[in-house]
Amino acid sequence: MRERLALSRPTEASSGKTGSWRTFRPVVDREKCNACGLCAQFCPDSVIDEDLVIDIEFCKGCGICAAECPKEAITMVREDR
Amino acid sequence: MTAIPKEEYLLKCTSACAGCSSSLCLRYITKAAGPDTVLVVPACCTSVIQGMYPNTAMDIPVYNIAFAAAAACASGLSNAFRALRRETNVIVYAGDGGTVDIGIQALSGAFERGTDFLYICYDNEAYGNTGMQRSGATPLGARTTTTPGGKPTTKKDLDRIVEAHDPPYMATACSAYPLDLFKKVKKALSIRGPKFIHILAPCPPGWRYSAEKTIEMGKLAVKTGTWVLYEREYGNLTINGPSKAAIRKPAPLEDYIKGQGRFKGVTPAMLEQMRQQMQANITRLVREEEGIC
């Protein structure tokens, strides 16, 4: 059916896969992580899920998670592209 | 602690800059408001970060409207919903340009009419969407593209303008304290009438600091006393915990100023003026809380 109204539909990745914006990739050291969840709380793009796994396809690499981690379990590693 | 809902109404992958505090705020506001909400967004960063047609990152209805009309549009929406006996939340999410400069007449009008809605101003202290031009909310000494030598005048005190309308609930918040923001939105939506929340939203490209410091900058603004977190419920002022601690033992103002490229040209005289203003603001709020004035 033809869409008569110019409505935008809710979609993930409405701006494409923003993982390609990244210069630095967050790498989690599971040994140091105590699962406090502050990284997920402060992530502006909600790419960190309940199990604290970072969705690398969408992560823009801002580094807030690494800066706010109290255990310093996240390091930002330069992407090689 | 209040349980934060797991549902996200701001879907992954908006076109916001890396480290954007506005999308962080929007996440918690929509979580607090729930799915029965209509968002009214005037021209601001948020009208861009939704993404491009035919897609949108917002999982709730959004009404994109002209700069000057946000609060007026929300008035109409709110009245229509109430006439249908529906309790849908109407939230205006506007930037500082759309609130303190262009949208202020509609804001004032809606507050005077007593519309049942929530107005949220996220304040990055300039017109960020168009590349950081000065706004009425830009603080003294801040460099923007239209004030390359630093803004010579001070920030417009929006909260006192809104306070003059005597709303049942108004509050300030900061993106570095998302749980506090969540609670304030929840509380605001439980009250009938016009409500107002003013959020300080640090902006990495505009304030010229690197993206990972967004939370740190917000916390510094509160810890130095530059931004005071408070709530005013039916005229009774409460200063919130983090700001109470900051008033007792403030962090040096230089920590906040030095971290931002936009304050590069601040002279010692300007710094002193900023400190005096900050102190005057804090004194006024503390006296009000104690019931002296």
Side-chain angles (χ1 to χ4, degrees):
Chain A
M1 203 179 84
R2 199 168 72 93
E3 294 264 335
R4 286 180 180 276
L5 276 172
L7 281 178
S8 289
R9 310 272 167 204
T11 331
E12 269 192 6
S14 60
S15 310
K17 289 194 174 157
T18 46
S20 62
W21 297 10
R22 202 169 49 230
T23 334
F24 292 95
R25 164 199 292 261
V27 177
V28 188
D29 181 350
R30 294 282 160 200
E31 293 283 299
K32 285 187 189 166
C33 173
N34 66 347
C36 67
L38 276 178
C39 50
Q41 189 188 104
F42 285 126
C43 179
D45 288 287
S46 59
V47 295
I48 308 180
D49 65 12
E50 283 165 57
D51 304 321
L52 308 180
V53 176
I54 301 173
D55 190 339
I56 219 73
E57 271 195 356
F58 293 140
C59 169
K60 292 171 184 167
C62 66
I64 289 180
C65 50
E68 291 307 311
C69 179
K71 293 281 171 192
E72 294 178 5
I74 307 176
T75 38
M76 299 303 286
V77 181
R78 184 175 276 276
E79 293 273 1
D80 38 56
R81 327 196 141 91
Chain B
M1 206 185 91
T2 342
I4 306 286
K6 289 194 180 102
E7 290 80 22
E8 297 283 350
Y9 299 100
L10 180 67
L11 301 177
K12 273 181 209 172
C13 217
T14 62
S15 50
C17 308
C20 177
S21 59
S22 161
S23 47
L24 178 63
C25 296
L26 204 52
R27 267 185 72 201
Y28 283 89
I29 291 162
T30 47
K31 273 169 189 272
D36 192 17
T37 303
V38 175
L39 215 57
V40 180
V41 177
C44 62
C45 286
T46 307
S47 41
V48 178
I49 70 176
Q50 294 160 23
M52 278 174 288
Y53 176 81
N55 299 321
T56 172
M58 300 298 308
D59 209 1
I60 51 171
V62 177
Y63 204 104
N64 286 297
I65 189 99
F67 248 135
C73 168
S75 280
L77 280 173
S78 172
N79 284 350
F81 280 127
R82 301 302 174 261
L84 290 169
R85 297 187 191 285
R86 281 175 60 182
E87 290 303 311
T88 305
N89 302 314
V90 179
I91 302 180
V92 177
Y93 191 64
D96 56 297
T99 307
V100 302
D101 295 341
I102 308 172
I104 199 161
Q105 44 78 19
L107 170 70
S108 178
F111 272 69
E112 185 269 326
R113 286 189 296 272
T115 306
D116 184 23
F117 81 130
L118 169 62
Y119 196 108
I120 297 176
C121 168
Y122 67 101
D123 187 354
N124 67 350
E125 305 190 319
Y127 288 85
N129 184 17
T130 45
M132 297 315 270
Q133 289 80 21
R134 97 194 258 293
S135 80
T138 306
L140 179 76
R143 285 182 177 181
T144 63
T145 50
T146 45
T147 53
K151 194 186 170 200
T153 53
T154 56
K155 183 179 171 112
K156 193 192 277 187
D157 198 341
L158 176 66
D159 299 314
R160 280 163 84 185
I161 298 173
V162 174
E163 186 203 334
H165 294 78
D166 235 345
Y169 183 83
M170 66 177 287
T172 56
C174 177
S175 64
Y177 299 88
L179 302 183
D180 174 68
L181 172 64
F182 178 87
K183 273 186 234 158
K184 282 172 177 168
V185 174
K186 272 260 179 224
K187 190 186 245 180
L189 291 174
S190 69
I191 295 169
R192 236 188 144 77
K195 285 88 61 177
F196 181 78
I197 298 179
H198 192 179
I199 308 172
L200 183 74
C203 168
W207 293 16
R208 301 181 202 169
Y209 63 84
S210 56
E212 78 275 6
K213 288 189 183 143
T214 290
I215 305 296
E216 193 189 318
M217 278 303 151
K219 283 192 174 156
L220 273 176
V222 172
K223 282 179 185 165
T224 54
T226 315
W227 190 254
V228 184
L229 300 176
Y230 65 84
E231 292 171 274
R232 194 181 276 113
E233 230 182 311
Y234 298 104
N236 295 319
L237 185 95
T238 323
I239 297 176
N240 299 125
S243 282
K244 275 226 166 106
I247 291 167
R248 266 199 303 277
K249 200 171 178 246
L253 184 60
E254 286 84 354
D255 289 3
Y256 178 64
I257 301 293
K258 285 217 174 93
Q260 298 172 42
R262 63 172 179 159
F263 286 124
K264 216 174 161 190
V266 166
T267 57
M270 263 180 177
L271 196 69
E272 195 44 45
Q273 200 185 336
M274 278 178 191
R275 192 172 282 122
Q276 278 172 10
Q277 265 169 19
M278 191 182 88
Q279 209 47 54
N281 185 40
I282 290 173
T283 313
R284 188 175 53 80
L285 289 169
V286 169
R287 283 169 69 94
E288 190 187 329
E289 194 188 26
E290 286 168 351
I292 299 170
C293 64

